[in-house]
């Protein structure tokens, strides 16, 4: 009815928004659409000039240059630039073994077979017709600790953790549909990437809270996170949440795939190798102030995230004097199970050099250890997976904030 | 021994507060009957995993000599002429190798995994292109290179499950369980 009116209004806006231009913008579907984008420079006074009209997809302010930090096999979430607990989907960390596959959702199939009474193939629309479950939870790679240099950001230290709302079908639903054999104890999850990535998972975990997720933050999964469907196992090391899942084989023993023997196992004391170390232990990191920010004297709110794969965070403590004294930070409600929890702590910096750090406690009573405690428990030869040490930031006299690098080998 | 601790893991997973929170949500739902019965053809096409106990191994055979030929053509460019290059994971620790880097010989607990992984994911630039005979041969070449089997052994579905890997005894279950102790 008033299409015309909108059109003309749009035309006027386009004409009068002096700094704006029409550009080709890529939608999430990869479609190119025309959209009005602001010019390079904002006007001196935005109240004196019409803004850009509404568009087909939202944009990120050109002033917010948020990027992941990619390598050949992974890309890290810029934790220091995020606020709150959710990770925008395009900034979710990535880790894959053979690149991101390109999958046609109409040809997608999930095969469930093995110790089940009805071996079944589900299409994506079958999965979407089953009861749809959502939960907010973090996903973290088990190899998520880097140190060694002062000039390292939270992204570089532990940017392989991200948080989303995941939506999909509970495995308990799927197992009921196919009639799982009560004697079954493990299942193999296999991806449809070029690594045909495989992990063996205890059926008990699948039934407890596992899901086949097809949604991430209100829309379809991103290809980098497993489009069109992935396994999601809250609280467990990221690689077990097999992406691009195409097959589940139910069994009564683990398959001992390469990703649970050669990789994702870790050396511990006495020449032993720990296997099937699924749970992500409690951890926290201060994301502000952290390198590369510089601070000035006075009141500062120290902020960060804490999480545990075993349940809820019950406490985060902050030390602003290199670990001599600790005081509880405020936990931002609601605190969810197996989810990034935002913490805040008000501190007055007096301008003297010091060190700030955080440590998390979860509802099992587990307290985030120091690197020394981890070395004492696992030995100097300990492997690089499941390292969750307390991370310290040095505050220099000039207000520079630098990582306190650590060594154990 | 393996059995015992695998059972232990399962128990740990079952004993936990509020476990069935999500499972019970589903208890009263009907069976939807969605999806179609999986055909044997699809299952045969996709089900290519092999287990330590021998389940899943296909027909075929190969020895270190045949494996070496395939290796030099299809693998050496990335893994080194002697398979001891550590860039993408060391396949072979040659006799006298004192480095601590992990290799199939020093770290892998099951011989079945070598077969499974090569068949599933290698060569990296053409995954899924090897014949079963080639995979048996490559597995033999890597195991023999690590002195885990004699050069002359012909591997097939019945032999691989019998191979003892020395790293097996190093593997222990995860003993972390939350709580006060750092492990």
């Amino acid at each position: 009815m008033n299409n015309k009116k909108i059109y003309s209004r749009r035309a006027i806006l386009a004409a009068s928004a002096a700094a704006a231009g029409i550009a080709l913008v890529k939608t999430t579907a990869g479609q190119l659409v025309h959209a009005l984008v602001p010019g390079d420079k904002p006007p001196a006074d935005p109240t004196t000039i019409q803004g850009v009209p509404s568009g087909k997809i939202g944009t990120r302010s050109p002033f917010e240059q948020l990027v992941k930090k990619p390598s050949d096999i992974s890309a890290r979430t810029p934790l220091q630039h995020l606020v709150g607990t959710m990770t925008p989907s395009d900034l979710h960390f990535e880790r894959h073994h053979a690149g991101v596959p390109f999958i046609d959702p109409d040809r997608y199939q999930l095969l469930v077979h093995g110790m089940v009474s009805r071996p079944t193939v589900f299409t994506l629309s079958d999965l979407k017709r089953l009861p749809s479950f959502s939960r907010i939870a973090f996903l973290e790679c088990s190899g998520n600790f880097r140190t060694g240099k002062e000039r390292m950001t939270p992204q570089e230290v532990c940017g392989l953790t991200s948080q989303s709302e995941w939506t999909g079908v509970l495995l308990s639903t799927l197992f009921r549909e196919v009639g799982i054999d009560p004697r079954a104890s493990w299942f193999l999850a296999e991806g449809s990437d070029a690594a045909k990535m495989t992990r063996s998972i205890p059926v008990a975990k699948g039934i407890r809270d596992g899901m086949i997720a097809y949604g991430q933050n209100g829309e379809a999964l991103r290809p980098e996170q497993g489009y069109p469907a992935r396994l999601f196992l809250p609280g467990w090391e990221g690689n077990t949440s097999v992406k691009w899942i195409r097959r589940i084989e139910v069994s009564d023993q683990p398959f001992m795939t390469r990703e649970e023997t050669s990789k994702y196992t870790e050396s511990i004391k006495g020449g032993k190798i720990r296997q099937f170390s699924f749970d992500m232990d409690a951890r926290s990191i201060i994301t502000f102030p952290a390198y590369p920010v510089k601070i000035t004297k006075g009141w500062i709110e120290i902020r960060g995230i804490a999480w545990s794969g075993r349940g809820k965070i019950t406490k985060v403590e902050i030390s602003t004097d290199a670990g001599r004294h600790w005081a509880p930070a405020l936990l931002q409600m609601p605190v969810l199970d197996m989810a990034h929890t935002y913490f805040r702590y008000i501190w007055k910096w007096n301008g003297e050099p010091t060190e700030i750090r955080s440590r998390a406690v979860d509802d099992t009573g587990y307290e985030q250890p120091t690197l020394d405690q981890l070395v004492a428990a696992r030995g100097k030869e300990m492997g690089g997976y499941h390292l969750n040490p307390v991370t310290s930031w040095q505050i220099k006299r000039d207000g520079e904030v630098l990582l306190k690098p650590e060594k154990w080998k | 021994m393996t059995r015992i601790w695998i059972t232990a893991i399962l128990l740990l997973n079952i004993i936990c507060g509020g476990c069935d929170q999500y499972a019970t949500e589903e208890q009263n739902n009907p069976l939807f009957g969605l999806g179609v019965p999986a055909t044997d053809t699809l299952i045969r096409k996709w089900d290519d995993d092999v287990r330590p106990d021998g389940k899943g191994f296909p027909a075929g055979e190969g020895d270190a000599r045949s494996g070496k030929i395939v290796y030099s053509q299809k693998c050496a460019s990335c893994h080194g002429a002697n398979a001891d290059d550590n860039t993408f994971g060391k396949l072979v620790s040659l006799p006298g190798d004192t480095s601590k880097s992990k290799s199939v010989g020093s770290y892998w607990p099951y011989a079945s995994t070598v077969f499974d992984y090569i068949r599933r994911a290698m060569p990296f630039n053409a995954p899924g292109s090897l014949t079963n005979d080639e995979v048996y041969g490559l597995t033999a070449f890597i195991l023999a290179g690590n002195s885990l089997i004699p050069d002359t052994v012909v591997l097939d579905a019945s032999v691989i499950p019998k191979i003892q890997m020395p790293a097996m005894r190093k593997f222990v279950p995860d003993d972390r369980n939350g709580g006060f102790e750092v492990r």
Side-chain angles (χ1 to χ4, degrees):
Chain A
M1 157 202 74
N2 53 11
N3 255 359
K4 229 188 189 139
K5 214 162 149 197
I6 292 173
Y7 247 109
S8 55
R9 189 182 165 82
R10 202 181 168 88
I12 295 165
L13 280 173
S16 61
I22 290 180
L24 279 173
V25 171
K26 213 174 197 172
T27 66
T28 43
Q31 215 178 10
L32 284 176
V33 295
H34 285 281
L36 276 166
V37 294
D40 302 341
K41 260 201 205 141
D45 180 356
T47 65
T48 61
I49 184 166
Q50 299 301 327
V52 171
S54 51
K56 281 196 174 167
I57 54 161
T59 58
R60 186 169 278 142
S61 162
F63 297 102
E64 301 301 320
Q65 295 292 334
L66 296 177
V67 286
K68 294 193 258 201
K69 195 175 167 59
S71 73
D72 285 349
I73 55 167
S74 70
R76 303 168 155 265
T77 295
L79 297 174
Q80 66 279 10
H81 294 311
L82 302 187
V83 291
T85 62
M86 300 300 291
T87 309
S89 299
D90 59 353
L91 297 173
H92 193 292
F93 84 85
E94 294 175 45
R95 170 73 179 97
H96 22 75
H97 290 263
V100 178
F102 187 28
I103 298 172
D104 178 350
D106 293 335
R107 288 177 50 204
Y108 173 81
Q109 292 183 314
L110 173 64
L111 166 64
V112 187
H113 71 117
M115 294 173 69
V116 300
S117 45
R118 293 176 292 279
T120 305
V121 175
F122 296 92
T123 61
L124 189 60
S125 55
D126 291 333
L127 295 178
K128 288 183 176 172
R129 269 183 60 188
L130 289 165
S132 180
F133 172 84
S134 292
R135 80 176 296 162
I136 291 172
F138 77 82
L139 182 66
E140 183 184 16
C141 177
S142 54
N144 192 24
F145 174 56
R146 295 253 166 108
T147 180
K149 280 190 307 187
E150 288 191 319
R151 287 171 205 284
M152 287 178 82
T153 61
Q155 178 172 29
E156 291 165 308
V157 175
C158 63
L160 299 177
T161 186
S162 305
Q163 172 143 296
S164 305
E165 182 189 47
W166 303 99
T167 298
V169 188
L170 285 173
L171 277 178
S172 53
T173 303
L174 219 53
F175 285 160
R176 248 164 55 90
E177 288 290 319
V178 298
I180 192 167
D181 186 324
R183 289 164 307 171
S185 50
W186 290 80
F187 67 90
L188 184 78
E190 181 183 81
S192 38
D193 55 341
K196 286 198 271 171
M197 164 78 185
T198 34
R199 283 293 321 244
S200 308
I201 309 294
V203 166
K205 171 67 177 176
I207 290 177
R208 188 164 81 219
D209 54 13
M211 69 196 282
I212 301 294
Y214 47 74
Q216 178 184 5
N217 298 330
E219 61 171 338
L221 294 178
R222 297 277 167 139
E224 297 82 356
Q225 272 73 61
Y227 182 84
R230 74 177 305 164
L231 182 61
F232 181 71
L233 301 174
W236 279 23
E237 56 179 20
N239 71 82
T240 59
S241 286
V242 173
K243 293 185 278 190
W244 315 291
I245 191 167
R246 74 166 190 183
R247 188 166 72 94
I248 289 177
E249 181 175 355
V250 181
S251 161
D252 57 2
Q253 55 185 274
F255 293 75
M256 301 298 176
T257 70
R258 181 249 192 175
E259 313 301 344
E260 56 210 20
T261 53
S262 166
K263 298 288 175 285
Y264 304 113
T265 54
E266 53 273 359
S267 298
I268 52 168
K269 260 194 184 151
K272 297 292 179 193
I273 300 165
R274 184 181 273 163
Q275 192 184 23
F276 295 124
S277 30
F278 293 125
D279 298 86
M280 297 308 297
D281 278 324
R283 184 166 188 185
S284 68
I285 181 149
I286 292 172
T287 54
F288 178 85
Y291 179 75
V293 301
K294 226 173 157 174
I295 58 171
T296 52
K297 252 198 262 193
W299 291 107
I300 286 175
E301 187 177 64
I302 295 175
R303 302 169 188 155
I305 48 172
W307 64 99
S308 167
R310 298 185 191 276
K312 287 187 177 55
I313 290 295
T314 52
K315 190 161 70 173
V316 174
E317 291 174 302
I318 305 290
S319 171
T320 55
D321 58 4
R324 276 182 288 279
H325 301 90
W326 294 85
L330 193 86
L331 298 186
Q332 182 62 61
M333 297 291 146
V335 174
L336 302 175
D337 256 9
M338 304 178 212
H340 284 169
T341 299
Y342 205 41
F343 66 81
R344 306 187 274 127
Y345 179 82
I346 308 273
W347 173 51
K348 191 169 197 177
W349 183 45
N350 60 10
E352 289 300 313
T354 186
E355 262 174 55
I356 60 172
R357 53 181 79 159
S358 63
R359 72 176 176 214
V361 178
D362 71 15
D363 58 8
T364 71
Y366 178 87
E367 185 177 289
Q368 183 183 3
T370 60
L371 190 62
D372 286 347
Q373 282 174 297
L374 286 170
V375 174
R378 299 181 194 172
K380 273 214 178 321
E381 298 301 322
M382 72 177 178
Y385 298 115
H386 290 283
L387 299 181
N388 58 330
V390 166
T391 301
S392 299
W393 300 99
Q394 317 168 65
I395 312 283
K396 300 292 185 186
R397 192 173 296 281
D398 63 357
E400 210 176 6
V401 184
L402 299 175
L403 179 72
K404 185 178 183 196
E406 294 185 88
K407 265 210 185 116
W408 74 94
K409 273 196 181 149
Chain B
M1 151 82 180
T2 321
R3 233 352 88 90
I4 294 171
W5 63 256
I6 287 168
T7 314
I9 290 180
L10 290 175
L11 282 177
L12 283 180
N13 279 309
I14 291 163
I15 310 165
C16 84
C19 272
D20 299 324
Q21 193 181 342
Y22 304 110
T24 48
E25 180 187 311
E26 301 301 305
Q27 241 163 43
N28 301 319
N29 284 340
L31 276 186
F32 287 76
L34 292 170
V36 296
T39 60
D40 287 344
T41 320
L42 180 70
I43 296 177
R44 263 202 307 275
K45 186 169 157 210
W46 279 10
D47 179 6
D48 63 356
D49 53 74
V50 299
R51 282 195 327 208
D53 65 352
K55 185 169 174 291
F57 276 100
E61 59 174 43
D63 60 11
R65 216 166 45 92
S66 66
K68 191 184 167 117
I69 297 167
V70 184
Y71 180 85
S72 55
Q73 288 163 355
K74 301 187 176 173
C75 323
S77 57
C78 291
H79 290 286
N82 301 316
D84 64 340
D85 191 297
N86 198 17
T87 319
F88 302 124
K90 197 176 205 171
L91 307 185
V92 168
S93 336
L94 298 168
D97 180 349
T98 52
S99 77
K100 281 185 180 157
S101 52
K102 305 174 186 177
S103 68
V104 171
S106 69
Y107 200 87
W108 291 41
Y110 300 96
S112 60
T113 313
V114 185
F115 185 95
D116 183 273
Y117 184 69
I118 294 173
R119 182 155 74 143
R120 131 180 345 275
M122 289 294 137
F124 196 75
N125 47 358
S129 64
L130 299 173
T131 66
N132 291 330
D133 285 351
E134 286 178 318
V135 182
Y136 278 116
L138 287 163
T139 306
F141 169 71
I142 291 171
L143 295 177
N146 284 293
S147 312
L148 298 169
I149 55 168
D151 276 343
T152 49
V153 171
V154 178
L155 293 189
D156 65 14
S158 67
V159 179
I160 292 184
K162 296 194 192 109
I163 299 170
Q164 293 293 315
M165 300 287 273
M168 175 70 222
R169 63 188 155 73
K170 300 183 192 168
F171 279 71
V172 293
D174 184 13
D175 62 344
R176 299 168 310 137
N177 197 24
F180 299 103
E181 202 183 335
V182 175
R183 288 178 174 169

